[in-house]
Amino acid sequence: MSPAPPPAAPAPGTPEPSPAAPAPRVPARVTVVGIGADGWDGLPAASREVLRGAGALVGGARQLDLLPAECAGARIPWPSPLRPAVPGLLAAHAGREVCVLASGDPMFYGIGRTLTEVLAEAGAAPPRVLPHPSSVSYACARLGWPVEDTEVVTLVGRALAGLAAALHDGRRLLVLSAGAETPAQVAGLLRERGFGPTRMRVLEQLGGPRERQTEGTAADWPAPPVADGTDPLNVIALDCARAPEALRLSASPGLPDDAYEHDGQLTKRHVRAATLAALAPAPGELLWDIGGGSGSIGIEWMRTHRTCRAVAVERDAVRAGRITRNADALGVPALRVVTGPAPEALAGLPAPHAVFIGGGLTAPGLLEACWAALPPGGRLVANTVTLESEALLADWYRRYGGDLVRLAVAHAVPVGGFTGWRQAMPVTQWSVTKPAAADAPATPSTATPSAPGDAQ
């Protein structure tokens, strides 16, 4: 038998074949199994079958301890911090069947989201998810609360201050605890925010044989070490009740000026409400609040929806610290504060959906930098009380259009034995939406425009 002829040489000019892309370093399949406090006994047959057949079992130590010996896969506790370790852990088990344990519903503030994102980044298929009833479902069933009418706030990996934005008189909240100490911390925050009369119920080990419920008010809730007997696996139910003397904070922009710590650098209530209306926040959008002052615009932007984000840029370090304190007090601790002058401090920031300029309008290049950073459809709103900045806004309005308005507010004050009006300084506001690139006018020149009728 003659040997096979060698492969023919490629014709001149034929490109070399591209090497095959390396297979992603991920497990052959990842299945996420939700498990409750009732452990193995509460799992359906499909979940049990996956757990028995997995080569690697990943989860918290408490969850792994709930599995019987017949689940023979290698047991791997989650490292801490969890998120940065996920890609490496999955790569270490490339080609194997991996089962990840999660509390309750893995796609409800659970590990399911993180795994889906990591696998997508690796170009791999999303995990198979086998959910268990969530702690929210169990809690609402015990309390008789409709799930669709119950707001949920998680404190797992989140700042306690974030709870403050959800506090409204008569509102029902479920708080997902970070551990045994969370109920006492929540009670302390409620007292500080004027919600001491709130009824608190702590539901522990929901769905398990050691399920328990403890009740009280935030005002009389015991502080550690008395409260240390709380089980780490707990959910807190709040029937929010505001103390009569506490400041009422609405869900809409235009909070009372007294809600803010400030040194006078504060966009006042009525102008603030008009400014937020012009900025038109929508879920998921990012705002640059330039010349942050007390942070009121960025704070109220974020309070409109839990997914709204904001960056406050403030050159004064004392005021920057004040912005952070106001953000914590008003329930938006995720507000990012950048200390430095604009436009220099804008370098490297993520592109905004909207920009508010409340100070520093005449800084060279500021308006140009903000306009350049906005995508088509982005909004820019600028407020001023000075003639110099007003002239600048008038020039940009002439070139770019939008709305140029003057906001004047007067307050009734005593005048002897009578009442009269005291006028606040009028605010000139320019708001504009950036057009598509093809329709955008040329960048404004710095030359003084000719007045109508001037010689050309």
Side-chain angles (χ1 to χ4, degrees), residues 73-90:
R75 302 192 181 198
I76 305 155
W78 282 118
S80 181
L82 189 152
R83 176 64 190 249
V86 171
L89 192 149
L90 294 179

Side-chain angles (χ1 to χ4, degrees), residues 25-115:
R25 295 280 297 163
V26 295
R29 183 169 69 171
V30 178
T31 303
V32 190
V33 173
I35 190 168
D38 48 359
W40 184 257
D41 292 340
L43 292 176
S47 296
R48 293 186 182 190
E49 181 181 354
V50 169
L51 290 165
R52 290 189 189 102
L57 300 164
V58 184
R62 177 184 59 81
Q63 296 158 341
L64 293 171
D65 288 343
L66 295 173
L67 302 182
E70 61 191 276
C71 299
R75 302 192 181 198
I76 305 155
W78 282 118
S80 181
L82 189 152
R83 176 64 190 249
V86 171
L89 192 149
L90 294 179
H93 297 280
R96 301 177 72 184
E97 293 278 337
V98 173
C99 182
V100 175
L101 289 168
S103 294
D105 185 346
M107 300 306 294
F108 186 74
Y109 292 111
I111 192 63
R113 173 178 178 171
T114 298
L115 289 172

Side-chain angles (χ1 to χ4, degrees), residues 227-254:
D228 285 346
T230 304
D231 191 278
L233 194 64
N234 72 81
V235 175
I236 307 165
L238 303 177
D239 288 282
C240 296
R242 180 173 52 88
E245 70 279 5
L247 189 66
R248 183 181 182 276
L249 302 179
S250 75
S252 65

Side-chain angles (χ1 to χ4, degrees), residues 431-453:
S431 60
V432 64
T433 298
K434 187 172 181 177
D439 301 325
T443 301
S445 67
T446 55
T448 303
S450 299

Side-chain angles (χ1 to χ4, degrees), residues 7-20:
T14 302
E16 291 289 330
S18 300

